[in-house]
């Protein structure tokens, strides 16, 4: 379809006044359609909104890819529309455990993608760094609250992470250790989130 045909279809079927130049800008990646425009564009092109998007990473992008309105999303996860919209705008999910479980079920994302979409990567990293450098048991509950994982699974992963980190640190205390071994602990902390996912999925 030519840009003019797409623009006409959006006007005739959805009542949206979009120019052919705007459609061309979308095609070239110079502009992005708003939520209503994306839904209409997908309808005109006989595809889903997700087919028109690059890999979704934010909560808003995942919602749009599923063709859900803010109101639908808020209702299905058990939140007031304004509260949900504020979280989506901020890129930070702040729902309780029940709402988080509903969101994870609705989005059907791999767990790592879920954490990224809800803007909680740094929160997870902070919890994991605390768990390996102090008593990991104290971090089981907050980590399990952050992620839709069982408490038992989180316990096993944190225990393993703690053991690995401590073994790196013990190596740095040996009198005969290489001067570079002190970097091992820092390197471990830098990639602790990646190691967490390796263990969590292992």
């Amino acid at each position: 379809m030519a840009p003019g045909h797409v623009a006409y279809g959006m006007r005739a079927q959805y009542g949206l006044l979009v120019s052919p130049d705007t459609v061309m800008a979308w095609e070239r990646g110079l502009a992005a359609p708003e939520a209503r425009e994306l839904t209409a564009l997908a309808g005109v092109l006989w595809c889903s909104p997700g087919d028109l998007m690059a890999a979704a990473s934010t909560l808003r992008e995942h919602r749009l890819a599923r063709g859900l309105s803010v109101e639908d999303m808020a209702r299905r996860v058990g939140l007031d529309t304004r509260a949900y919209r504020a979280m989506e705008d901020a890129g930070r999910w702040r729902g309780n455990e029940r709402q988080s479980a509903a969101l994870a079920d609705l989005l059907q994302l791999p767990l790592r993608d879920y954490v990224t979409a809800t803007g909680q990567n740094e929160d997870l990293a902070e919890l994991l760094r605390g768990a390996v450098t102090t008593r990991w048991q104290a971090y089981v509950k907050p980590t399990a609250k952050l992620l839709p994982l069982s408490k038992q699974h989180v316990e096993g992963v944190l225990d393993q992470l703690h053991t690995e980190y401590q073994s790196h640190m013990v190596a740095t205390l040996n009198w005969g250790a290489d001067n570079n071994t002190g970097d091992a602990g820092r390197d471990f902390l830098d990639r602790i989130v990646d190691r967490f996912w390796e263990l969590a999925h292992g």
Side-chain angles (χ1 to χ4, degrees):
M1 294 175 72
H5 296 140
V6 174
Y8 174 79
M10 293 179 71
R11 182 172 64 253
Q13 296 176 46
Y14 297 92
L16 293 177
L17 298 177
V18 173
S19 72
D21 287 342
T22 299
V23 175
M24 288 177 65
W26 293 341
E27 288 179 352
R28 295 175 180 160
L30 302 174
E34 295 178 359
R36 285 184 63 225
E37 294 169 336
L38 181 65
T39 301
L41 182 61
V44 169
L45 297 177
W46 292 76
C47 64
S48 74
D51 293 332
L52 301 175
M53 299 171 65
S57 61
T58 66
L59 202 51
R60 175 178 283 117
E61 290 169 353
H62 284 292
R63 174 179 61 76
L64 291 174
R66 282 157 182 76
L68 294 169
S69 69
V70 170
E71 293 76 16
D72 286 340
M73 193 80 159
R75 178 178 48 79
R76 291 173 72 171
V77 299
L79 274 169
D80 172 77
T81 301
R82 281 181 298 178
Y84 173 80
R85 188 188 303 274
M87 292 182 201
E88 190 176 273
D89 289 344
R92 299 282 294 166
W93 176 251
R94 296 296 187 198
N96 61 32
E97 289 182 54
R98 181 183 54 78
Q99 292 162 341
S100 296
L103 182 72
D105 185 58
L106 180 60
L107 295 181
Q108 290 295 297
L109 297 175
L111 193 50
R112 188 169 192 164
D113 293 342
Y114 167 84
V115 172
T116 299
T118 54
Q120 300 180 98
N121 270 324
E122 188 48 44
D123 293 343
L124 177 60
E126 187 176 333
L127 286 171
L128 297 178
R129 287 191 289 265
V132 300
T133 56
T134 59
R135 293 184 65 253
W136 64 265
Q137 294 88 343
Y139 291 85
V140 172
K141 187 173 180 180
T143 304
K145 183 179 179 184
L146 184 73
L147 306 169
L149 285 174
S150 72
K151 184 179 174 184
Q152 292 75 18
H153 191 53
V154 171
E155 285 176 347
V157 174
L158 293 188
D159 187 9
Q160 179 64 32
L161 281 174
H162 185 269
T163 299
E164 291 178 10
Y165 177 74
Q166 294 303 318
S167 70
H168 285 300
M169 297 314 293
V170 166
T172 68
L173 298 176
N174 291 337
W175 286 104
D178 187 295
N179 288 336
N180 293 328
T181 56
D183 296 335
R186 287 186 291 277
D187 290 343
F188 186 86
L189 292 178
D190 287 343
R191 31 180 208 85
I192 194 166
V193 174
D194 290 334
R195 182 57 181 150
F196 172 84
W197 292 122
E198 289 170 7
L199 294 171
H201 296 313

